[in-house]
Amino acid sequence: MRSRIAVSALALGVATAMLAGCASSSPDTEGETGDALTSANLYLYQKPVVFNPLAPGQGAEQLTMSLVYNGLFNVGPDFESVPRLAESWDVADDAMTYTFHLRDGLTWSDDEPLTADDVVFTYNLFVNPDVASPNTAPFAAVVGFDEVQDGTADALEGIVAEDDQTVTISLAEPTPGFLALFGSGYGILPEHILGDVEPSAIMEHEFFKKPTVSSGPYVMTEFNVDQNVVLEANDNYWSEVGIDTLYLQMVTSDVATAQLATGETDVVQISPQDLATVEGLDGVTVSSAPSPGFLRLLVNFQKFDDERVRQAFLYAIDRQGIIDGVLGGHGETINSTIMTPWALPDDLEAYEYDPARAQELLEEAGYDFSQELRLSWIPGTADRDAAVAVVLENLKAIGINAVADQMESANQLGMIENAEYDLMVSGGGTYTPDPTVSANALLCDRVFPAGGNTSLFCDEELDTLLNEGAVTADEDERAAIYQDAVRLDNELVPYLWLYVPDTLWATSDRLQGFEPHGDFANGFWNAADWTVTD
């Protein structure tokens, strides 16, 4: 322990010394009315590229978009839905009709009315085949979805603006987990800005490079590539926004931690390796929340379709060792893609660290130990970097020719779509609320880019169970179906489940109102409520 803390302290000292040359401050200034303008600096652990809810954004993009786009609702730290543009909603007893009631007087940041028509417009973009969004999964049960997909209809029959403040969504079959499918909410887009854009061109539209019209608590005023994003409070937001300006800073984790010490950063998602150091800083508060998602290795199903190989990879990795050594115990192992507690049976294979069993399975499967196995990941996050080092060491220890493959975040989705990877680090997600969310990562018709199945995995028997569970209203029957699905998922190993981390946050004491969220990509979920004091 003493060695780990000493290393962290040394890194902190070095990074602090660098700040004079590379850090920019954003002191509070005075507005035209004479009132002091407030600001805060937030850490972005990756460099965003585009801010498009229709696209599968990486974590830093999702964090930024949560400040600019509001959905009808969000998900709070307890994984329950929290009202946003919709102040309330009703669910029919048969789980086939959902009615959302928008707040009174909603307007976009440019003073245009925000109405139910914007909601209908946005949701139809998500399902339009010409848009080709991979985020269509929540809408598959909506009446008219198949017709839109096959081109016999232009819009979803089941999504209707009853009036300016009421949206009704009708489903073709019972879907008890419908709300959970939306995760932290799909950001609503401005029809008056994008309504005349051809659907086939909308994914590349200039608006998403710097969305300056906002439904969220902040409006983007600057996007300085590879440096920062500047956001100003949205005066038209439905609630009062507590901080005038947010600076989202793209720095490395060691610099972000050092800036906590100097008071130049107010919110940082910290690595467990830095916990002891950060807890010793004056004027800094550390908080945590359990993650609703998990860190995993995508394992390319097109290359490794023998489940024995995927099982072997999992046996070869000392996952508990990573949790104890890298996370400092702040996490737990997981043995299925589904995380919802009531769906988990107690007879799953634990895949405890067993190199001998891993070698045995690989030999049975005829694995070619001479072939190169690339482990791809986006570097720069301390715990992930350290976990990758352990995984590589574990794989090499049983004779696998494993090599590190650092990649740029901008290349990740293309590599997945073109199956140009062997193993790839991926994390996050909000899988805890309902198994229907996890199904998006498993179903054959959700193989990326059609959905979130980024291991390119497919099993028809598992598909049948997942689809049956999604439309079963009886809670006991539904639990039994999903437990069978989890057992099969556990056997097939479509992903190499590494761990469920505790998400750790450090905030300056000048920032008030921060509530930790376990989903790091939703960490700014209540940013409108934040204030700063000097």
Side-chain angles (χ1 to χ4, degrees):
M1 177 66 72
R2 181 177 303 167
S3 174
R4 180 174 67 85
I5 295 175
V7 171
S8 295
L10 177 60
L12 177 61
V14 172
T16 302
M18 297 170 58
L19 289 177
C22 69
S24 62
S25 60
S26 49
D28 295 344
T29 57
E30 191 172 281
E32 295 180 1
T33 62
D35 296 333
L37 298 178
T38 57
S39 65
N41 287 293
L42 318 180
Y43 165 53
L44 282 186
Y45 70 99
Q46 292 175 339
K47 296 176 181 179
V49 177
V50 68
F51 308 97
N52 186 351
L54 298 166
Q58 43 97 325
E61 292 171 350
Q62 292 173 351
L63 279 166
T64 306
M65 288 191 291
S66 72
L67 298 169
V68 175
Y69 302 107
N70 257 190
L72 295 181
F73 54 89
N74 199 344
V75 175
D78 59 358
F79 310 133
E80 296 294 330
S81 298
V82 178
R84 284 296 184 255
L85 296 180
E87 63 181 354
S88 65
W89 49 86
D90 307 314
V91 181
D93 291 340
D94 61 3
M96 293 181 65
T97 305
Y98 291 72
T99 304
F100 296 89
H101 307 283
L102 274 60
R103 299 176 186 275
D104 291 336
L106 290 175
T107 59
W108 294 95
S109 59
D110 62 356
D111 297 327
E112 290 292 324
L114 194 166
T115 72
D117 288 335
D118 291 297
V119 178
V120 174
F121 166 74
T122 299
Y123 288 172
N124 276 300
L125 282 179
F126 276 103
V127 302
N128 190 316
D130 290 336
V131 174
S133 170
N135 298 331
T136 60
F139 305 98
V142 175
V143 172
F145 177 82
D146 291 339
E147 289 78 3
V148 172
Q149 294 301 297
D150 65 22
T152 59
D154 295 329
L156 291 164
E157 179 186 346
I159 298 184
V160 177
E162 306 290 351
D163 54 45
D164 283 350
Q165 291 180 252
T166 310
V167 177
T168 299
I169 301 180
S170 301
L171 308 181
E173 51 194 355
T175 309
F178 181 68
L179 289 182
L181 287 171
F182 282 81
S184 57
Y186 279 24
I188 302 304
L189 298 172
E191 184 177 15
H192 68 284
I193 299 292
L194 299 170
D196 292 332
V197 179
E198 286 294 326
S200 59
I202 203 161
M203 292 293 270
E204 304 302 324
H205 195 270
E206 288 292 316
F207 177 80
F208 298 118
K209 295 180 181 178
K210 193 176 84 171
T212 55
V213 175
S214 169
S215 61
Y218 285 90
V219 181
M220 187 178 297
T221 57
E222 295 181 38
F223 175 33
N224 301 305
V225 176
D226 295 342
Q227 297 181 39
N228 68 4
V229 179
V230 182
L231 305 171
E232 301 290 344
N234 179 3
D235 292 335
N236 290 343
Y237 194 55
W238 51 266
S239 72
E240 185 176 354
V241 180
I243 301 175
D244 295 304
T245 307
L246 297 181
Y247 298 87
L248 279 57
Q249 308 286 11
M250 305 168 207
V251 295
T252 58
S253 59
D254 57 339
V255 170
T257 304
Q259 288 179 339
L260 276 172
T262 60
E264 294 176 86
T265 293
D266 297 291
V267 179
V268 176
Q269 185 207 337
I270 63 171
S271 166
Q273 290 118 310
D274 295 328
L275 180 60
T277 300
V278 173
E279 285 181 327
L281 298 177
D282 292 334
V284 173
T285 298
V286 175
S287 56
S288 66
S291 175
F294 59 98
L295 190 73
R296 53 198 172 274
L297 297 182
L298 313 183
V299 50
N300 189 335
F301 186 75
Q302 294 185 15
K303 296 183 178 182
F304 306 107
D305 60 354
D306 189 326
E307 65 201 58
R308 293 173 296 180
V309 173
R310 302 192 300 273
Q311 292 169 354
F313 290 161
L314 199 53
Y315 277 120
I317 300 171
D318 186 3
R319 297 182 295 157
Q320 190 60 51
I322 294 174
I323 292 169
D324 294 339
V326 174
L327 304 186
H330 291 281
E332 61 182 4
T333 57
I334 181 176
N335 293 299
S336 75
T337 314
I338 292 174
M339 295 179 61
T340 311
W342 54 261
L344 301 179
D346 57 10
D347 57 351
L348 299 180
E349 172 59 45
Y351 292 103
E352 294 180 354
Y353 181 48
D354 190 342
R357 178 59 176 153
Q359 279 187 311
E360 179 184 355
L361 284 167
L362 290 175
E363 290 168 359
E364 285 180 8
Y367 182 81
D368 180 4
F369 284 88
S370 67
Q371 69 178 315
E372 184 177 85
L373 180 73
R374 291 177 301 136
L375 173 51
S376 305
W377 90 105
I378 302 169
T381 305
D383 56 320
R384 294 192 183 189
D385 292 349
V388 166
V390 174
V391 171
L392 288 169
E393 179 183 342
N394 290 161
L395 295 175
K396 291 176 181 178
I398 63 168
I400 294 176
N401 183 20
V403 297
D405 177 33
Q406 296 187 13
M407 64 180 179
E408 297 290 335
S409 59
N411 298 332
Q412 183 177 26
L413 297 180
M415 290 174 64
I416 295 172
E417 182 173 0
N418 297 315
E420 296 172 341
Y421 72 94
D422 299 329
L423 303 178
M424 181 184 290
V425 176
S426 181
T430 306
Y431 298 115
T432 302
D434 193 89
T436 49
V437 183
S438 300
N440 186 47
L442 296 169
L443 290 167
C444 297
D445 64 0
R446 294 289 175 248
V447 168
F448 188 83
N453 184 342
T454 46
S455 265
L456 317 178
F457 169 83
C458 182
D459 183 82
E460 292 183 1
E461 182 181 356
L462 184 57
D463 264 26
T464 298
L465 290 168
L466 293 172
N467 288 326
E468 184 180 356
V471 299
T472 300
D474 183 86
E475 293 182 2
D476 292 336
E477 290 181 21
R478 195 164 183 254
I481 293 167
Y482 275 122
Q483 287 182 17
D484 285 342
V486 168
R487 291 185 182 96
L488 185 55
D489 177 48
N490 172 257
E491 176 186 346
L492 295 176
V493 189
Y495 296 86
L496 305 186
W497 315 288
L498 294 184
Y499 53 79
V500 179
D502 291 338
T503 304
L504 305 173
W505 298 94
T507 54
S508 68
D509 287 351
R510 69 186 290 269
L511 186 113
Q512 306 295 312
F514 180 87
E515 294 185 40
H517 202 298
D519 179 3
F520 63 87
N522 199 20
F524 304 157
W525 73 281
N526 73 326
D529 301 330
W530 300 348
T531 58
V532 289
T533 59
D534 292 319

